[in-house]
Amino acid sequence: MSKTIQLLCFALLFQTAAFSKDYILRSPDKKITINISVGKNITWSVLKDQELLIKPSAMRMILKDGINPGIIPVVSKTISKAVNQTIVSVIPVRNKLIPEVYNELRLQMKGNYAIEFRAYNDGVAYRFVTNLGPQPIEVNDEKVAFNFHENCQIYLPKEDNAELQSHYEGDFKPSKLQEIPAEHYGYLPLYVATPAGTKMVITEADLHDYPNLFLYGTGTKTLTGRFPKVILEASPKPNSDRAEVIGRKANYHAKTTGNRTFPWRTIIITSSDKELLENEMVYKLARPNILANTDWIKPGKVAWDWWNDNNIYGVNFKSGINTETYKYYIDFASAYGLEYIILDEGWSKSTTDLLAPNPQLDIEGLVKYATTKNVGVILWALWKPLDQHMEAILDQYVKWGVKGVKVDFMARADQYMVNFYERAAQETAKRKLLLDLHGAYKPVGLNREYPNVINYEGVKGMENNKWEETITPVHNTTLPFTRMVAGPMDYTPGAMLNSNKDEFHVSMTSPMSRGTRAHQTSMYVLYDSPLQMLCDNPSNYLREPVYTHYIARFPTVWDKTIALEGKISEYAVVARKNGNNWYIGGMTNWDARGFDIPLTFLDGKKYKIEILQDGINVGKHAADYQIISKEVVAGEILHIDMAAGGGYAAILTPIG
């Protein structure tokens, strides 16, 4: 090689090295590392201990008028900080006190933007921050990529709607990264397991005035992000009061202010599945509560009408959507200490007029009656009519004395819909109304900023048993490690007609569940849901008062959650504390199994434990269960047995 060529090569290497600058950010426990490289673009890679999880993956934004944060970046300043504090949760979905411990690196760039990185002991996150002035900016695209080091196993709920419309009720089925072809996509959260056993869940948090992120396959070990475009024209689908046909769309996916923070792109990282049962990453990354008064926000259990088709019996009136039927629900709720009833679809004269009650219903009289029984009433509403006349509708609900609104069938995740969620949260909070979001995308932390956002659906839950056969114990033991990692989910448990593996049949009027009665019971401990349903027919519950009194004792919020056992699609066991009491819930897939649980989480007191477990004849009759009471102390070994498709629940109360 000539001396000239050698000098040229040296110069090129020198220029490359000079152009690229690397930064390292580690978690407080030093086990997780983010490597950030700033060259022609910005990339990050992520390691846990010595295992490479994410290879260099680029991040950038494409704005109108040639403003492109992340392209040819120049760092003007770095700001580091360490945070060690405690979040006090207003509505504690998993824990009342949430440790918030992380290290942060902010790269301030020339061009009036920054990128913030955080490293927690249980994950990592980054986001863009712009300071481009108060004038609107158009975001044409955002580059989001996850270049995995290995061909990992994933659970990505796949979608096929070209408009990115969905009710977000997909199946979480296992596959490998390289099996996801280009143009096939799924929504978040995404579960990932490396060959070495590290678990990751990818999602987003602090989503405001910006569309949801969807992940597309590439046929390789890389997933790339895309976003719904801004919808300029949409029309009602023929013969439908809720479905939309998307017409014209903009060439950008957000028009927003130039001074703002953008959503966190986060990777939750754990050594085992069971740690995901305790994770609070989305809540930690969300904006703090902004409501001055939250005393009026009351979580609780709900007697629900829609799943059981108002198919009550043993009464002297015709059941249906009428005042007599809902008084029956109220009496049932009052007798068992349930805080609410829901009047679902059908309570209004039409689904598009939310101010005119069904002629068979005396709403004002019903709410007054419920008030005398210490039961609150929540009303169902289609999102579009509510969006068009929100203030007038909510004002009327307040006049009626209603306690909350269940908003349904949004089925979109674009910028407008994200803003609808926040507007609904604001307007309901002003009026001291709870908000339950159905037909909804996954939680992104809005329930921390507005604690009156009491629950989300966005899950393939019990209702699907009315028309298909996909809700199995395998599905139920997958949800705690996938969808539920993002936040609370309105799965709506409580089926009283239970079936073993080959006994299930579809019914719209007398629906049933797959798995045992104890399997259903375990959901009242295992499934995060501050507004938790008793989905079945009150007549069925009233026929079994011992069982109904048992499930009615479970709280819906928790001071502390401890994961005991867990493996995706196989089993989950947790212990939770509320006040002085502890509760244990466990469920399994179609494999019978047992666990020995050391009661090390108890204090020095003696406890009465009331166990509900699969009965001896559960293999023939899935609703068979038995309740056992005894005394236990801290450190004692508790043996848990679960039948095929079974479950386990326990209530522990201190003695003396």
Side-chain angles (χ1 to χ4, degrees), residues 16 42 44 240-241 253 285 291 338 405 428 474 494-495 502 513 517 520 522-523 527 550 558-559 597 611-612 652:
T16 301
I42 303 169
W44 75 333
S240 175
D241 60 355
H253 69 237
L285 289 168
L291 303 183
L338 311 183
V405 187
T428 50
V474 176
D502 299 321
S513 69
R517 177 70 65 79
Q520 285 287 309
S522 72
M523 296 175 185
Y527 284 177
Y550 187 87
W558 309 100
D559 296 329
I597 304 297
I611 299 165
L612 190 148
L652 294 87

Side-chain angles (χ1 to χ4, degrees), residues 294-488:
T294 58
D295 292 343
W296 58 272
I297 303 173
K298 303 296 184 186
K301 294 177 290 297
V302 185
W304 183 37
D305 58 347
W306 188 87
W307 192 72
N308 58 75
D309 198 34
N310 287 307
N311 192 16
I312 63 176
Y313 54 87
V315 295
N316 59 2
F317 57 86
K318 191 171 181 62
S319 65
I321 299 175
N322 55 52
T323 300
E324 291 84 357
T325 296
Y326 285 109
K327 281 188 174 181
Y328 184 86
Y329 278 86
I330 291 167
D331 290 343
F332 163 68
S334 178
Y336 286 91
L338 311 183
E339 289 81 1
Y340 301 100
I341 69 163
I342 280 183
L343 275 63
D344 214 291
E345 181 174 356
W347 74 266
S348 56
K349 190 174 182 179
S350 77
T351 55
T352 55
D353 185 352
L354 300 175
L355 291 171
N358 185 314
Q360 302 300 313
L361 277 174
D362 175 9
I363 288 290
E364 290 186 81
L366 199 63
V367 172
K368 287 178 182 177
Y369 180 76
T371 301
T372 67
K373 298 280 189 171
N374 202 29
V375 175
V377 175
I378 296 171
L379 296 180
W380 175 92
L382 278 179
W383 84 271
K384 192 75 169 182
L386 181 65
D387 185 42
Q388 293 169 339
H389 305 288
M390 188 177 292
E391 294 187 10
I393 290 170
L394 296 181
D395 285 344
Q396 182 60 61
Y397 292 178
V398 171
K399 289 179 183 177
W400 285 340
V402 168
K403 298 299 183 183
V405 187
K406 174 183 174 179
V407 186
D408 207 350
F409 285 97
M410 285 78 80
R412 282 169 37 185
D414 54 291
Q415 183 186 22
Y416 186 91
M417 188 56 69
V418 171
N419 290 341
F420 167 77
Y421 281 28
E422 184 154 5
R423 179 169 162 247
Q426 291 171 342
E427 295 300 326
T428 50
K430 284 180 187 177
R431 295 162 177 82
K432 297 185 177 180
L433 293 171
L434 303 178
L435 181 61
D436 183 10
L437 295 164
H438 269 239
Y441 55 78
K442 81 282 180 188
V444 290
L446 186 64
N447 56 307
R448 181 181 175 192
E449 185 178 9
Y450 292 93
N452 66 306
V453 179
I454 199 75
N455 216 351
Y456 298 76
E457 192 188 28
V459 64
K460 194 162 193 168
M462 280 284 293
E463 66 176 7
N464 288 269
N465 283 310
K466 290 167 71 79
W467 55 79
E468 61 182 62
E469 300 184 1
T470 59
I471 306 302
T472 68
V474 176
H475 174 77
N476 296 338
T477 52
T478 301
L479 293 177
F481 308 97
T482 52
R483 160 61 181 84
M484 202 173 79
V485 179

Side-chain angles (χ1 to χ4, degrees), residues 2-263:
S2 69
K3 187 174 182 180
T4 301
I5 294 175
Q6 286 179 332
L7 289 171
L8 180 60
C9 289
F10 177 78
L12 288 172
L13 288 169
F14 178 78
Q15 289 176 358
T16 301
F19 191 76
S20 179
K21 175 70 174 176
D22 293 335
Y23 303 86
I24 295 176
L25 180 65
R26 291 190 173 90
S27 59
D29 65 4
K30 310 298 184 186
K31 293 182 178 180
I32 295 176
T33 302
I34 304 174
N35 291 321
I36 306 151
S37 181
V38 181
K40 292 183 179 180
N41 54 24
I42 303 169
T43 66
W44 75 333
S45 56
V46 181
L47 298 91
K48 183 180 185 297
D49 298 322
Q50 301 302 312
E51 183 185 4
L52 178 61
L53 304 176
I54 304 292
K55 297 190 298 184
S57 301
M59 57 194 70
R60 64 175 180 267
M61 302 185 76
I62 308 297
L63 311 184
K64 189 179 179 182
D65 301 326
I67 302 171
N68 300 317
I71 298 179
I72 316 298
V74 178
V75 178
S76 60
K77 184 169 68 171
T78 63
I79 303 172
S80 299
K81 70 176 181 180
V83 171
N84 188 340
Q85 58 192 21
T86 300
I87 299 169
V88 180
S89 177
V90 176
I91 304 298
V93 177
R94 292 188 169 180
N95 295 284
K96 182 69 174 176
L97 302 177
I98 303 171
E100 187 179 28
V101 183
Y102 64 87
N103 292 327
E104 182 177 283
L105 175 64
R106 179 185 175 106
L107 301 182
Q108 190 68 46
M109 305 291 189
K110 290 185 178 179
N112 297 318
Y113 74 94
I115 302 182
E116 294 177 346
F117 297 88
R118 286 188 185 176
Y120 295 78
N121 292 338
D122 57 353
V124 296
Y126 79 85
R127 69 176 175 185
F128 280 90
V129 182
T130 55
N131 187 23
L132 300 171
Q135 68 277 5
I137 59 172
E138 290 182 8
V139 182
N140 293 336
D141 198 10
E142 179 186 347
K143 170 72 172 180
V144 180
F146 296 96
N147 299 326
F148 296 92
H149 181 57
E150 302 280 0
N151 185 24
C152 301
Q153 183 188 60
I154 65 171
Y155 284 73
L156 180 68
K158 298 175 186 176
E159 294 286 344
D160 56 11
N161 183 286
E163 306 295 345
L164 299 178
Q165 291 178 284
S166 174
H167 294 289
Y168 314 102
E169 298 178 9
D171 290 315
F172 288 86
K173 300 292 188 184
S175 60
K176 290 296 185 75
L177 280 166
Q178 291 176 298
E179 296 172 358
I180 309 298
E183 302 309 315
H184 282 215
Y185 73 92
Y187 57 84
L188 301 175
L190 165 70
Y191 170 96
V192 183
T194 72
T198 297
K199 317 300 180 183
M200 293 177 275
V201 172
I202 295 175
T203 192
E204 58 186 336
D206 200 39
L207 178 66
H208 294 269
D209 195 28
Y210 203 75
N212 279 238
L213 168 66
F214 292 79
L215 292 179
Y216 278 73
T218 62
T220 70
K221 292 179 283 188
T222 297
L223 296 175
T224 60
R226 294 188 196 175
F227 302 85
K229 298 291 187 182
V230 166
I231 297 172
L232 300 176
E233 292 179 359
S235 57
K237 189 174 182 178
N239 303 315
S240 175
D241 60 355
R242 60 204 63 184
E244 291 183 305
V245 177
I246 304 301
R248 194 164 55 94
K249 294 186 291 185
N251 60 1
Y252 53 87
H253 69 237
K255 180 178 283 188
T256 185
T257 178
N259 294 334
R260 62 163 297 170
T261 59
F262 287 85

